Amino acid sequence: MASKRLPGKALLDIEGKPLLRRLCDRMRFCRNAEGLTVATSQCAHDDAIEEACRAWGIEVHRGPEEDLTTRLLGAVTGRGWSAFVRVTGDNPLTDPAGIDEMIEKFYSGDRVDNKSLSIVHNAHRDGYPYGTGAELVSRHVLEECDRELRSPSERECFMSFARNSSSRFPCVKMAVPSHLRRRHYFLTVDYAADLEVQGRIYRHFQGRDDMTLAEIIDFLDANPQIAELNSDLHEAFII
């Protein structure tokens, strides 16, 4: 709720439903995930998130606001999960089908350099459109990051450390079909213009949460002026 670029964005309205509710409802279409937990901070300003999630019947874990490693590790260990999919709370159009594919890949038995996979993700420069991808992470990655990372910035960006330690944490970038790759579409919510893009998408789909990524892309392809509304805001964040 303390976002500096767009204060209170987690509960801002998108066509009659709060952003976070949009995301949680969309994640319910994942077939291979066994649970859903919102991991928010212990700060008073995020009491509203816990209250909303409880009302929606969604589990909540609360931890340090500026120590993402500790917060996520608490959520994962508290539920006994051996792996988790990290979905950031400002990406309401994260693709459920892409998450299912990552889970299948993780448990396929595939190996890298004769090591079991530690990370599988489709959120890369040639992956899903920005704001629709995610990353699957083994719990042991979090545990090792928790032991080794010290500074607040390192613990906030633990995935950068993990991805750059491929010899320790075998990582697979999921291939994405060309018809789902759009480098110039930004479907996260950090600014008012992003919220406008989301609103126009959900308005077109009459407030549904089950539209496929292909349907969303087809709509934006047919209406390029919508994607242009925030096209200059996120390029620096692409990895």
Side-chain angles (χ1 to χ4, degrees):
M1 295 295 286
S3 167
K4 292 180 174 62
R5 290 188 290 261
L6 191 61
K9 68 178 176 179
L11 297 179
L12 290 179
D13 181 82
I14 301 178
E15 287 299 298
K17 191 184 290 188
L19 185 159
L20 184 59
R21 179 68 184 271
R22 288 280 181 202
L23 173 60
C24 291
D25 286 354
R26 188 161 171 80
M27 291 301 91
R28 294 187 189 278
F29 292 103
C30 293
R31 295 175 291 102
N32 295 331
E34 69 175 47
L36 172 66
T37 295
V38 170
T40 191
S41 89
Q42 298 164 326
C43 297
H45 53 244
D46 285 327
D47 289 349
I49 289 180
E50 179 173 9
E51 292 168 6
C53 288
R54 300 294 184 196
W56 303 332
I58 296 169
E59 286 190 359
V60 178
H61 172 83
R62 302 186 71 169
E65 182 176 43
E66 297 184 1
D67 186 346
L68 182 61
T69 302
T70 293
R71 185 169 9 124
L72 291 182
L73 186 58
V76 171
T77 57
R79 285 146 188 82
W81 293 338
S82 60
F84 68 103
V85 177
R86 180 191 176 199
V87 177
T88 57
D90 47 12
N91 293 347
L93 292 174
T94 300
D95 185 53
I99 290 175
D100 284 335
E101 291 173 1
M102 288 194 299
I103 294 173
E104 290 170 3
K105 181 68 172 178
F106 185 77
Y107 289 107
S108 68
D110 288 0
R111 302 173 73 84
V112 173
D113 295 331
N114 206 34
K115 296 180 181 178
S116 298
L117 301 182
S118 293
I119 301 169
V120 180
H121 71 104
N122 56 25
H124 51 85
R125 196 65 178 91
D126 292 313
Y128 279 47
Y130 188 62
T132 64
E135 49 203 3
L136 191 158
V137 186
S138 175
R139 184 173 72 183
H140 80 86
V141 174
L142 264 183
E143 292 170 337
E144 294 192 33
C145 288
D146 184 53
R147 285 193 293 269
E148 296 184 28
L149 303 182
R150 293 289 177 262
S151 73
S153 60
E154 287 176 330
R155 296 181 71 83
E156 177 70 20
C157 301
F158 72 94
M159 281 306 302
S160 294
F161 169 79
R163 288 185 185 181
N164 290 327
S165 304
S166 57
S167 61
R168 294 174 59 188
F169 308 127
C171 176
V172 168
K173 290 184 177 182
M174 292 289 288
V176 176
S178 59
H179 72 280
L180 296 180
R181 291 200 299 266
R182 294 294 188 280
R183 290 187 176 188
H184 57 296
Y185 289 171
F186 302 103
L187 298 175
T188 191
V189 178
D190 274 324
Y191 303 97
D194 299 328
L195 202 65
E196 176 65 20
V197 170
Q198 297 282 334
R200 295 197 186 194
I201 292 171
Y202 278 99
R203 197 173 308 137
H204 172 75
F205 290 101
Q206 301 178 318
R208 290 165 42 207
D209 293 298
D210 64 344
M211 57 281 200
T212 66
L213 181 56
E215 289 175 322
I216 295 167
I217 288 173
D218 286 346
F219 170 65
L220 292 175
D221 285 350
N223 297 274
Q225 74 279 5
I226 295 176
E228 290 172 2
L229 291 171
N230 65 349
S231 61
D232 61 336
L233 297 177
H234 298 283
E235 190 67 25
F237 297 100
I238 295 296
I239 57 175

